[in-house]
Amino acid sequence: MGDTRSKRHVLRSRFGELSKQERRELRKAERHLFVEAHKREAAERARVAEQEKAAWRSRDFLPDAGENGPAALRTPRSFIAPSHRADSGILGLSYPFLADPGLGTKGTLVGRNLLGGSAFVYSPFDLYKAGIISDPNIIISGKVGEGKSTLVKVLSSRGAAFKCRSYVPADVKGEWTGPCRAIGGSAFEIGPGMLARINPLANPIARPPSISEAEWVITSRNRRTMLLESITERLLNRDLWAMEHSALAYALVQVERREREEPTLGQVVHELFNPQTDADGRVPEGFSSLAEVSAQSREVGHALSRLTTGALSGVLDRRSEGVQFDPSAPMVSVDVERLRGNALLDVVMTCTSSWMESALMDGTDSRRYMIYDEGWRVFARPPLLRRMQEHWKVARNWGISNVLVMHGFGDLQTAGDGGEASRAMAANLVNDSSTVISFRQSGKAVDSAKEMLDLTDTASSLLTRLRRGQSLWRIGQRMSLVQVTRTQREAALFDTDEAMVSDGAA
């Protein structure tokens, strides 16, 4: 081959001296060489292509660019992509067609899943049973008029169809009376001039068969003691002293001894001002005389007397009337709207909550909502905040989903006296709530929400751009974006100052 090429080179250099026949032969030889070179190059390309094809077939996952040519978007092999880790912002751009699968079909239809387009169904009881969340408690926050109250009414009223009972111990704005009665529940209205009254020290239901008499007595006394201590500390604006604790507990025991069925606040106040010896004629242990008991209990008595005189006289200090509690009713509410301007409204809310909670401590029903609307009024005080924290922790044992409605997470950071201990208790409420629902927030509240919920920059910025009725749900370790919907009938029942604009059929 080398000789042929060198000879062709010599002939080409003398091309002008060649004859016509020699020139024709030279061109023929050059064409032959060109064809041979093309065949060799084609054979080499075919060999490389076959090697690449063999390497392609040996892979067990698709390459980054996918299949080539006609096989694009199709492959005979299983799609096993190499693992890749990135933050949600990057993945959202790389895989824009990912959708939230939702929480399944068990539970109450709430609205539409904006991340997947499907219906959004939620039940804290079913999710807890499935192990998706660690507790059934719910916290709902958002600016006024964004749909918080509508969401709670949707959960409670639709949940009644699935045997979920709801309890509203303090309806501050009187907005639960209509929905409650519309589904066959009971709504009690208390306040000046109203016939109904509630005795917070009474048990609204008879002793359940599952609880022994001795256990019932101890449980009832512990509840009453916790309530009296909480509201007394709130009224005194300080912690009780040790001897005041003893004097208050002694007064309660004495009243229970004489009034076995239904001790009242009025009787406890009278006992604090007029202490008596016990059934054996002895003074309480730790006191030298009844005079010492009276000295230690006098300030406590004056504090509690604020609930038995003035505007609150006859509301909480006497035996219950006109409030027949039916634990089988789908919804029960206590309307305290007539006391809305009272400086002790948070104490009233605590008393009505304790009265209603006492009917739910049997644990016989595992699907019950305890709704604390305007809950920020209660946890604004350290004693009442401690009491609420205790109820959050026993929710699983009682089969209760506590629902706390507030304006923003800034309320929790300034809870109680604003001190470190109060902020820690408020933070524990969030930690003990697997479901946290956030409607549109103001700028300052977003910073608090980002810190307490450990939100990403994307999620926290979304809180300022949510439309009315839209909410961001943190359910365990999952996040969902939900549009709450309601029927026309629900729109008429739920219409309040905080109602949504969207009236889509549910």
Side-chain angles (χ1 to χ4, degrees):
M1 178 65 66
D3 293 343
T4 303
R5 286 186 176 180
S6 59
K7 182 177 179 181
R8 184 172 60 85
H9 180 70
V10 173
L11 292 174
R12 173 60 64 180
S13 63
R14 297 171 50 208
F15 190 79
E17 302 176 3
L18 298 178
S19 65
K20 187 175 181 181
Q21 180 63 28
E22 289 177 330
R23 292 177 180 178
R24 187 181 298 114
E25 291 178 356
L26 178 59
R27 293 191 183 96
K28 184 177 179 180
E30 288 179 338
R31 285 196 298 270
H32 177 75
L33 290 174
F34 177 79
V35 171
E36 290 296 324
H38 180 73
K39 288 181 178 179
R40 288 194 300 272
E41 291 174 359
E44 180 65 19
R45 287 195 299 270
R47 184 184 65 81
V48 172
E50 185 61 31
Q51 290 179 346
E52 292 177 349
K53 190 174 182 180
W56 184 283
R57 290 174 177 172
S58 67
R59 297 183 181 182
D60 58 355
F61 61 86
L62 285 174
D64 294 341
E67 297 279 8
N68 290 328
L73 301 180
R74 299 188 301 276
T75 176
R77 298 184 296 279
S78 62
F79 185 85
I80 305 176
S83 61
H84 177 70
R85 179 176 295 179
D87 60 37
S88 57
I90 298 297
L91 291 177
L93 294 174
S94 302
Y95 304 98
F97 304 110
L98 291 180
D100 182 2
L103 300 170
T105 58
K106 289 187 176 180
T108 303
L109 176 63
V110 174
R112 182 163 52 91
N113 188 337
L114 297 179
L115 297 180
S118 61
F120 184 82
V121 176
Y122 173 80
S123 168
F125 313 106
D126 291 315
L127 295 178
Y128 176 73
K129 185 177 180 180
I132 297 176
I133 56 178
S134 58
D135 62 81
N137 298 319
I138 304 171
I139 289 182
I140 303 175
S141 68
K143 296 177 64 177
V144 174
E146 296 302 322
K148 302 186 299 297
S149 293
T150 294
L151 170 60
V152 182
K153 293 183 180 74
V154 163
L155 284 175
S156 56
S157 60
R158 296 180 188 174
F162 300 94
K163 298 182 179 180
C164 295
R165 296 181 174 87
S166 301
Y167 304 91
V168 186
D171 179 11
V172 178
K173 293 181 289 188
E175 62 185 68
W176 283 89
T177 300
C180 182
R181 292 173 177 170
I183 64 173
S186 303
F188 309 125
E189 301 173 80
I190 64 172
M194 303 303 296
L195 297 178
R197 59 172 55 95
I198 288 178
N199 175 16
L201 299 184
N203 292 317
I205 61 171
R207 177 178 63 85
S210 59
I211 301 179
S212 66
E213 180 66 32
E215 185 180 1
W216 184 247
V217 170
I218 294 174
T219 301
S220 299
R221 180 171 297 169
N222 288 342
R223 179 187 70 83
R224 292 164 180 162
T225 301
M226 180 184 296
L227 172 64
L228 288 172
E229 290 177 348
S230 297
I231 62 177
T232 303
E233 289 180 342
R234 153 66 179 94
L235 294 167
L236 290 172
N237 201 27
R238 63 170 174 82
D239 294 339
L240 290 175
W241 300 329
M243 296 188 74
E244 289 176 332
H245 274 289
S246 299
L248 183 59
Y250 178 74
L252 175 62
V253 171
Q254 290 295 90
V255 173
E256 286 180 334
R257 178 174 61 85
R258 293 193 298 268
E259 306 290 338
R260 295 181 178 273
E261 294 183 359
E262 190 175 304
T264 66
L265 272 176
Q267 293 167 343
V268 172
V269 170
H270 182 269
E271 185 69 25
L272 288 168
F273 285 131
N274 304 279
Q276 304 292 322
T277 56
D278 62 16
D280 298 325
R282 296 176 300 184
V283 298
E285 187 176 354
F287 293 91
S288 59
S289 64
L290 287 179
E292 186 178 12
V293 178
S294 178
Q296 294 297 330
S297 60
R298 186 162 297 277
E299 190 172 0
V300 174
H302 281 295
L304 286 176
S305 66
R306 296 178 63 186
L307 300 178
T308 64
T309 59
L312 295 180
S313 177
V315 177
L316 300 170
D317 57 334
R318 304 175 190 175
R319 292 182 180 273
S320 298
E321 293 183 14
V323 286
Q324 187 65 35
F325 189 92
D326 182 5
S328 64
M331 186 182 296
V332 180
S333 71
V334 178
D335 186 342
V336 296
E337 183 182 15
R338 289 164 182 80
L339 298 169
R340 190 170 182 179
N342 195 292
L344 300 181
L345 179 58
D346 56 337
V347 179
V348 175
M349 294 172 65
T350 301
C351 290
T352 55
S353 297
S354 177
W355 174 79
M356 190 172 286
E357 290 160 358
S358 66
L360 310 179
M361 292 189 297
D362 57 340
T364 57
D365 196 334
S366 60
R367 291 175 177 267
R368 298 180 286 195
Y369 289 109
M370 179 62 75
I371 301 167
Y372 299 95
D373 207 351
E374 297 283 318
W376 59 271
R377 296 177 184 269
V378 175
F379 62 71
R381 305 283 182 170
L384 309 185
L385 178 60
R386 284 194 295 270
R387 181 182 172 280
M388 180 169 285
Q389 184 184 19
E390 290 299 320
H391 284 282
W392 246 245
K393 293 186 179 297
V394 299
R396 290 173 294 182
N397 296 335
W398 291 358
I400 293 174
S401 172
N402 292 304
V403 183
L404 174 65
V405 183
M406 60 184 186
H407 295 311
F409 286 93
D411 295 339
L412 292 178
Q413 291 191 332
T414 58
D417 54 5
E420 184 176 348
S422 295
R423 289 198 302 270
M425 284 190 288
N428 285 336
L429 285 181
V430 178
N431 295 334
D432 291 334
S433 302
S434 290
T435 302
V436 181
I437 305 169
S438 302
F439 286 81
R440 188 158 63 96
Q441 309 271 345
S442 62
K444 293 182 179 180
V446 169
D447 295 336
S448 300
K450 182 178 181 181
E451 178 181 352
M452 299 194 76
L453 302 181
D454 194 23
L455 297 178
T456 62
D457 292 339
T458 302
S460 58
S461 65
L462 182 64
L463 294 180
T464 61
R465 296 181 284 109
L466 293 173
R467 297 182 179 180
R468 187 169 296 181
Q470 295 180 351
S471 52
L472 185 66
W473 295 51
R474 190 201 71 178
I475 306 172
Q477 301 300 317
R478 306 178 54 162
M479 299 293 290
S480 295
L481 186 61
V482 180
Q483 170 70 59
V484 182
T485 58
R486 58 187 182 174
T487 64
Q488 291 182 351
R489 183 171 182 268
E490 289 173 334
L493 284 173
F494 302 166
D495 192 17
T496 68
D497 290 338
E498 298 183 53
M500 302 179 305
V501 171
S502 175
D503 290 335

